[in-house]
Amino acid sequence: MGDGGERSPLLGGTALKGHGVACVALLVVEGLERAAFFGITANLVLYLTSGTFGWGGTQASCACLLFLGGSYLFSPIGGWLADVYLGRYATVVISFFLYLLAASLLPVTASLDGRLSVCGQLPADTIRNCSWHRGGTCRGQPPEQYCAPTIYTGLLLLALGVSSVRANLIPFGADQVRDRGSDATRRFFNWFYWSINIGAVFSLLVVAFVQQNISFLAGYLIPVACLALALLIFLLATPTFVTKPPTGSQVSAMIKLALQSCGCAWLGGTRASAHPWEDGDPLPNSRAQPGAPSPEEDLANFQVLARILPVMLTFIPYWMVYFQMQSTYYLQGLHLNIPSIFQSGQDHANTRQGYTFPDAWLLLANVVVLLALVPLKDHVIDPFLARRRLLPSALKRMALGMFFSLASVLTAGILERERLQYVRRNQTVPQLIGKDRYLAATLPIWWQVPQYLLIGISELFASIPGLEFAYSEAPKSMKGAIMGLFFFISGVGSLLGWGLLTLLSLPAQGWMRCPEDYGSINSCRMDNYFFLLAGIQLVTCLLFAWISRRYQSRPPCPGAPHHCTGPVED
C-alpha cells in the first residue's frame, strides 16, 4: 500500500517488469473493447432495418445516434463514481460486467427463440406498394417498431457501460506510468491510440463481414467474446496494477459556484460568505478527502471552466456531423451499388448473389487516414512547421478541422441528391444484403469514399487538437473533469443529430418527407438533412473563428499566478 491508500503492483521483480505487464494488459484490453464497440455499432442500422425487425431507415439511424450519443454523454457518471466512491479499478470492473451483460442482449435478439422470449411475436405486416417492386406489393413496415422497448433499453445500458469504461480506462492506464515521467506517459498514450485503431480495423474487416454475409447471431457473438476476454485479462492482470483510492469530485463545488454566479444564493450558499461550503449547504460536499482543492482554487477553476466552455460548446455541430458516419452515411451506402465478392450468379428476381462488400468497410477510410496521417504529421509536418515558426495553435487546427467536416457533409448531400436523380430515372438495381433486398441506385458506393476521408481528416485537425486544448487549458486539479466535459459534449452533438433527424423525418410534416417504406430511403429527401447540417456547421465555423481570435490562455488572475498559463492565442 502507498500513501493515501494507493496500492503498488504486487508482481514480484523489478518495478519496470510490473509496469510493462500492466501496460501491455491494458493495451490488449482496450483493443478488445474497441473491437467489441465497433462490432456492435458498425452494422446496427442494417440489423434494425433487416427483415428481423423491419424498422424504417431513419428510425434505425436515430437508434444508432442515440446509442452513440449516450456512450459519450454518460461519461461523467462513470468518472464521478470513480472519483467519489469506487476508485477507477472497481469502476472499470463493474462497468465491464454491465457492458458484457448488455451486449449479450444482441445475440439473444438475433436468434428466433431468444427474440420471441424478450420481444414477443412480430406484429402483422402491412401490404403496400413498394418502390423497389416498381408498382408491385411487398411486405411493409409493421405498425409499430418491433421490440423497440427492449432494443432501446439494451442500447442505453450498453451506452452506460461503454461510457464508464471509456471515462476510467484511459486515466487508469496513465496511472500505471505516472511515476516514470512525461515521456512514458506520452508513449503510453501513443500505443493506447494505436490499440484503439487496431481493434477497429479487426472489427470492421472481420465482424462486419460476418454480420452482413453470414449471420448476425455469429456476428454479435464475436463482440461478446471480445468483452469476456477483455474482462478476464483485466482481472488476471490485477496484481500488476497501481490502484488509487477515490479522491473526491469538484462537481458539487462547480454547481455551487454556477448557482451563485446566477444569483441563486439560496441553493449555492450565501453570496456574501467568504466560505460558501458550510455544513448547512443543501448540496453535499464530495471533496472531503485530504488534499482536495481549497475554496480559492475552486473559484479559480470555475473561472477556467467558464472561459473554456464557449470554445467547447462550438464543437457540438462538429459532433453532429461526425456521428453521421455510423448512421446516415451508412444508410446512404446501403442504397448505392455495392459490389459482390465471390459472385455466384443471380436469383429468379434478378438479384445479385454472393458475398457483398460490407458497407461498414467504408469506415476503414476514416481509420486508415488517421493511422497514416498521425505519424506523418507528428514526425514530419509538425517539426517542419515548428522550425519555421509556422505551426498553428490548437484553436486554429480545430477551426481547420471544422471546415473539413463541413466539406464532408456537403459532399454527402451532393451525392445523395445525385443518387435520388438515379432513382427517379429508374437507374436502379435490386441487391441482396444479408437476407434482405434493397433497391439501390447504379451509382457505385465508391463515391462515398471522399466524404469518409474528409471526416477522417477533420478528426485529425479537430478532435485530437480538441483533446489537447482541453487537457492543456485545464488546471491540474480539474483535468479529469474537463476531459469528461469534452466527451459529454460529443454525446450532446450525437443526441442533437438524433433529435433533428427524428423531427425532419416525420412522415407528414418533416422536411425530409420520409414515408414508411420498410427501411428504404428512396422516397426520402435525406439530402435536405445533410445540407441543413452543412449550414449549421458553416455558421458554427464562423462563430468559432470569432471566439478563437478573442480567446486568451492567460486569464486575469491577480493573486493567483499559479493558475495563469501560456500566452495569448490568436
Side-chain angles (χ1 to χ4, degrees):
M1 298 290 290
D3 293 339
E6 180 174 326
R7 191 184 71 190
S8 300
L10 300 178
L11 185 70
T14 65
L16 180 61
K17 180 179 179 182
H19 284 302
V21 173
C23 290
V24 170
L26 289 173
L27 294 176
V28 173
V29 167
E30 176 62 14
L32 290 169
E33 186 275 326
R34 287 291 89 185
F37 177 79
F38 282 100
I40 290 168
T41 60
N43 280 320
L44 184 60
V45 171
L46 177 62
Y47 182 53
L48 295 177
T49 57
S50 67
T52 302
F53 295 97
W55 288 22
T58 54
Q59 293 171 335
S61 293
C62 286
C64 187
L65 286 170
L66 180 64
F67 167 66
L68 291 171
S71 68
Y72 286 88
L73 198 67
F74 297 152
S75 293
I77 298 177
W80 178 78
L81 285 173
D83 286 343
V84 179
Y85 294 110
L86 302 175
R88 286 177 184 142
Y89 173 82
T91 306
V92 169
V93 172
I94 294 172
S95 301
F96 258 121
F97 273 112
L98 177 61
Y99 197 164
L100 180 60
L101 179 65
S104 301
L105 182 64
L106 288 171
V108 169
T109 58
S111 65
L112 178 59
D113 292 339
R115 190 163 58 251
L116 291 175
S117 64
V118 298
C119 301
Q121 190 68 38
L122 180 68
D125 301 330
T126 56
I127 303 298
R128 65 183 68 189
N129 290 333
C130 288
S131 57
W132 69 272
H133 271 272
R134 304 180 191 277
T137 59
C138 71
R139 184 176 67 168
Q141 184 178 329
E144 296 180 357
Q145 287 178 264
Y146 174 55
C147 202
T150 301
I151 292 295
Y152 277 112
T153 301
L155 289 178
L156 288 175
L157 289 174
L158 195 58
L160 184 60
V162 171
S163 63
S164 188
V165 169
R166 176 188 286 117
N168 290 287
L169 195 59
I170 296 176
F172 183 76
D175 289 344
Q176 310 308 307
V177 295
R178 182 189 57 182
D179 62 337
R180 306 197 68 81
S182 59
D183 185 63
T185 303
R186 179 188 60 80
R187 293 183 61 194
F188 172 79
F189 277 117
N190 286 339
W191 284 105
F192 196 89
Y193 178 82
W194 276 79
S195 68
I196 290 174
N197 286 277
I198 289 173
V201 168
F202 165 78
S203 185
L204 294 173
L205 283 176
V206 178
V207 181
F209 180 86
V210 171
Q211 290 171 344
Q212 183 167 313
N213 291 286
I214 300 176
S215 76
F216 275 102
L217 176 59
Y220 278 134
L221 282 173
I222 297 175
V224 173
C226 288
L227 288 174
L229 182 57
L231 178 58
L232 178 62
I233 292 173
F234 189 83
L235 292 174
L236 290 176
T238 297
T240 70
F241 292 149
V242 174
T243 58
K244 296 170 59 179
T247 56
S249 172
Q250 291 187 282
V251 173
S252 297
M254 294 299 104
I255 293 175
K256 290 177 182 180
L257 286 167
L259 292 174
Q260 289 174 18
S261 66
C262 296
C264 302
W266 65 279
L267 281 176
T270 304
R271 256 188 190 275
S273 173
H275 299 283
W277 295 270
E278 304 288 345
D279 292 338
D281 285 347
L283 289 174
N285 193 340
S286 58
R287 301 180 299 102
Q289 289 83 355
S294 66
E296 291 75 15
E297 289 174 322
D298 281 332
L299 180 59
N301 291 344
F302 177 75
Q303 292 171 344
V304 171
L305 179 62
R307 198 173 67 256
I308 293 175
L309 193 58
V311 176
M312 301 184 73
L313 287 176
T314 55
F315 256 75
I316 290 177
Y318 170 78
W319 294 117
M320 291 174 68
V321 173
Y322 178 83
F323 286 115
Q324 303 306 314
M325 275 196 304
Q326 290 154 294
S327 53
T328 54
Y329 282 15
Y330 182 93
L331 189 62
Q332 182 186 54
L334 293 176
H335 295 81
L336 293 169
N337 189 7
I338 301 176
S340 293
I341 305 173
F342 314 124
Q343 187 170 342
S344 58
Q346 297 180 332
D347 64 5
H348 64 279
N350 201 35
T351 304
R352 292 176 298 137
Q353 298 290 299
Y355 293 130
T356 55
F357 177 90
D359 188 6
W361 277 6
L362 287 180
L363 287 169
L364 287 169
N366 171 263
V367 175
V368 169
V369 75
L370 288 172
L371 288 174
L373 291 183
V374 167
L376 179 65
K377 182 176 180 295
D378 186 53
H379 295 292
V380 179
I381 298 176
D382 284 355
F384 175 81
L385 294 176
R387 286 194 298 268
R388 287 158 178 79
R389 297 184 179 180
L390 298 174
L391 186 65
S393 67
L395 288 172
K396 290 179 180 177
R397 282 176 279 152
M398 289 153 64
L400 182 61
M402 289 182 180
F403 278 104
F404 274 112
S405 73
L406 170 62
S408 173
V409 75
L410 273 176
T411 303
I414 294 169
L415 176 61
E416 180 62 15
R417 183 157 290 184
E418 183 66 19
R419 190 192 69 81
L420 290 174
Q421 292 294 331
Y422 273 68
V423 172
R424 294 190 188 98
R425 294 195 297 262
N426 289 327
Q427 294 176 270
T428 55
V429 56
Q431 59 187 4
L432 188 68
I433 300 178
K435 298 180 180 178
D436 297 278
R437 289 185 177 88
Y438 290 82
L439 186 70
T442 54
L443 201 62
I445 196 173
W446 311 120
W447 284 103
Q448 276 196 307
V449 171
Q451 66 200 54
Y452 280 97
L453 289 177
L454 286 168
I455 202 69
I457 296 172
S458 80
E459 188 175 359
L460 178 68
F461 286 103
S463 179
I464 297 175
L467 285 169
E468 175 190 338
F469 170 82
Y471 186 84
S472 61
E473 290 296 303
K476 183 178 180 181
S477 60
M478 209 177 164
K479 290 187 183 295
I482 297 295
M483 299 298 286
L485 178 64
F486 185 86
F487 289 125
F488 178 85
I489 286 175
S490 305
V492 171
S494 180
L495 289 183
L496 285 179
W498 160 70
L500 185 61
L501 181 60
T502 301
L503 182 64
L504 296 181
S505 59
L506 292 174
Q509 299 87 9
W511 192 30
M512 290 167 57
R513 299 190 292 276
C514 284
E516 297 179 359
D517 194 8
Y518 188 55
S520 172
I521 58 169
N522 289 331
S523 300
C524 289
R525 292 302 306 272
M526 202 161 67
D527 54 330
N528 289 341
Y529 176 64
F530 290 140
F531 289 136
L532 179 59
L533 285 178
I536 295 172
Q537 181 67 90
L538 176 60
V539 172
T540 308
C541 286
L542 299 176
L543 178 62
F544 182 85
W546 181 81
I547 291 175
S548 63
R549 287 182 64 85
R550 286 156 178 78
Y551 181 84
Q552 290 186 345
S553 293
R554 185 185 297 274
C557 48
H562 56 285
H563 290 292
C564 302
T565 57
V568 174
E569 294 273 10
D570 58 359

